[in-house]
């Protein structure tokens, strides 16, 4: 049994979903393992992870439209506004999505479904450099 | 240390929660391992996974009532409607729940709590055959 | 490769976020492993897990304000009210957050980001003793 780890940096430029499937699969599928478990972990609380459709870009547009309406910027409900009107909404949107993802590796490949992509969801409007940790255990 | 994998197919017949606890536990608890980690992974973006109460069926009814109101079918907000009024709501509902679950195996059994069941949440109204990947590492 | 497991009990006294970072890290970082995967699993359906900011307490206040508004107690939508007006909202809030978390262990330490804390989110108003299972595999 082996373990491998990797840190990837994702440069975001505003609130949107960033497809990180190539980075994750490029790494996981190249290590020569047959069976294993991939963990994707984001070290932030205002950006998150999401597996969703990566075929029609409209899905990403609609996803953001939904979250923008559900957790509006500048909501007077919030008192934690130190970094601006998108500060607390970013934390809530992170809570409603994922900080970690687990994906089996089967027959040497991450077992994503046909239409699944792995996304980093940047919830802040400001540009950032986001850190994502990859871990693979298997053989 | 050993690994085991399995693919299960769940035939859904419309939007609801399907209890897959027997399939997951029947497999995981029968492999003869004492300690390990079970991963449940669904290969879709319009159906998801959820651990919730499996005792009172009303919980499942209310869960669906809540998600139906939170993410209404035919919402004019959405432009991704190619597969109908429940297309984009299915992707959003998937984003709000889980694509992967991690469950420790302790003393030879999946460590579910007394009232916990593992559910596949079908978010489309059409019948489908859904693929769920199981992975177990342990000894 | 080694595995370690631990059960921790968290005594809650009403609906709020409880920081369990010290218990999880105190255990995981003390086992002497260099690289691994930590799983945190809660055995309940009316309390959940969340990784979010642990610096400004206002984030926790706002998080609860958001969920209280999104899933109101006593909502006439719900028929599962056997344990009171916060019964079904607790199940929904659990569905919208996490039952399991996966955190890589890198260089002997859980790879939490600088501002990340691990929280148990108690969704019931009544006091409870909540069980959280920890699992670590690595070497």
């Amino acid at each position: 049994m082996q373990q491998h780890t990797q840190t990837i940096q994702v440069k975001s430029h505003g609130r949107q979903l960033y497809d990180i499937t190539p980075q994750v699969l490029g790494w996981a599928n190249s290590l020569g393992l047959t069976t294993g478990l991939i963990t994707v972990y984001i070290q932030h609380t205002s950006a998150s992870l999401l597996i969703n459709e990566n075929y029609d870009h409209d899905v990403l547009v609609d996803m953001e439209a939904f979250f923008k309406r559900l957790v509006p910027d500048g909501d007077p409900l919030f008192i934690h506004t130190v970094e601006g009107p998108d500060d607390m909404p970013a934390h809530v949107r992170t809570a409603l999505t994922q900080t970690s993802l687990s994906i089996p590796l089967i027959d040497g490949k991450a077992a994503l479904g046909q239409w699944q992509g792995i996304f980093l969801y940047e919830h802040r409007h400001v540009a950032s450099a986001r850190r994502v940790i990859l871990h693979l255990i298997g053989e």
Side-chain angles (χ1 to χ4, degrees), chain A residues 1 32-37 104-109 136-139:
Chain A
M1 203 69 62
L33 277 64
T34 303
T35 306
L37 179 64
L105 183 91
I106 311 274
D107 296 333
K109 293 190 176 175
L136 171 55
I137 184 169
E139 64 187 354

Side-chain angles (χ1 to χ4, degrees), chain A residues 16 22 24 28 37 40 42-43 49 53 72 77 91 94 111 116 119-120 135 137:
Chain A
Q16 66 177 76
V24 177
L37 179 64
V40 188
I42 187 164
Q43 291 187 307
L49 300 171
E53 191 189 295
L77 185 70
H91 295 308
T94 296
Q116 287 184 319
F119 295 92
L120 183 149
H135 176 271
I137 184 169

Side-chain angles (χ1 to χ4, degrees), chain A residues 18-117:
Chain A
Y18 295 85
D19 189 350
I20 61 169
T21 317
Q23 291 99 305
V24 177
L25 267 55
W27 175 78
N29 295 352
S30 72
L31 293 169
L33 277 64
T34 303
T35 306
L37 179 64
I38 303 160
T39 302
V40 188
Y41 184 84
I42 187 164
Q43 291 187 307
H44 302 275
T45 64
S46 55
S48 60
L49 300 171
L50 199 59
I51 290 181
N52 222 284
E53 191 189 295
N54 71 348
Y55 181 72
D56 181 0
H57 184 263
D58 286 350
V59 171
L60 309 186
V61 173
D62 285 356
M63 193 68 74
E64 173 50 29
F66 178 83
F67 277 100
K68 182 181 177 181
R69 188 180 65 184
L70 185 67
V71 197
D73 284 351
D75 193 323
L77 185 70
F78 297 138
I79 57 175
H80 175 81
T81 56
V82 59
E83 292 188 42
D86 63 337
D87 185 349
M88 190 60 214
H91 295 308
V92 171
R93 293 156 63 114
T94 296
L96 291 171
T97 50
Q98 316 298 325
T99 294
S100 62
L101 302 171
S102 302
I103 307 167
L105 183 91
I106 311 274
D107 296 333
K109 293 190 176 175
L112 289 182
Q114 186 177 2
W115 310 110
Q116 287 184 319

